[in-house]
Amino acid sequence: MFGSSLYTGYSYGVAPMLSFYYGERNEDKLKKMVKVSLRVILLISVITVAASFLLTEPLVSVFARPFVFMLITMIVLPRILGMNGIWLATPAAELMVFSLSAVTFLKYRKRYGY
């Protein structure tokens, strides 16, 4: 998702310039912008892949708990609330994660001095 956001942001930022150079028929600047864009996309790709390999364990541990809460709420809430339960599953899961984080934060604040 993070990589996708970077690609999207870059694309939105560079699109007006590419369009302008194309409309202006400025092939030199257009070619240069395309080369720079390919390098930026390659760099984002390499960083994303490297981060995926290097940070797999920490990322999985961070996202595992919200995923478990999401599964619970996706199963339980629709049975209780019907269609509204489906829509409320994500906010409920996020609220559960927030609550657990707040409790953990408060529990360990003296130990870690924050």
Side-chain angles (χ1 to χ4, degrees):
M1 258 336 243
F2 180 72
S4 178
S5 297
L6 292 174
Y7 297 132
T8 302
Y10 182 79
S11 297
Y12 286 166
V14 79
M17 292 187 300
L18 289 171
S19 179
F20 179 79
Y21 294 147
Y22 181 79
E24 189 180 49
R25 302 208 194 289
N26 191 335
E27 290 183 18
D28 292 334
K29 287 186 178 182
L30 186 60
K31 286 179 183 179
K32 184 177 179 182
M33 184 60 64
V34 170
K35 285 181 184 179
V36 169
S37 294
L38 291 173
R39 287 182 186 145
V40 168
I41 291 170
L42 178 64
L43 180 65
I44 292 170
S45 299
V46 169
I47 290 171
T48 303
V49 169
S52 298
F53 284 116
L54 296 173
L55 302 172
T56 299
E57 190 174 323
L59 287 175
V60 168
S61 65
V62 165
F63 290 109
R65 189 175 298 128
F67 181 72
V68 170
F69 285 144
M70 181 62 85
L71 285 176
I72 292 168
T73 57
M74 290 290 285
I75 292 169
V76 173
L77 288 181
R79 291 183 182 180
I80 296 170
L81 302 172
M83 184 65 77
N84 288 334
I86 294 170
W87 295 106
L88 292 173
T90 299
E94 294 296 328
L95 182 61
M96 292 167 72
V97 172
F98 174 77
S99 299
L100 181 62
S101 299
V103 168
T104 305
F105 180 82
L106 293 173
K107 180 179 178 182
Y108 292 106
R109 69 181 176 181
K110 288 182 184 176
R111 177 187 290 179
Y112 296 110
Y114 52 78

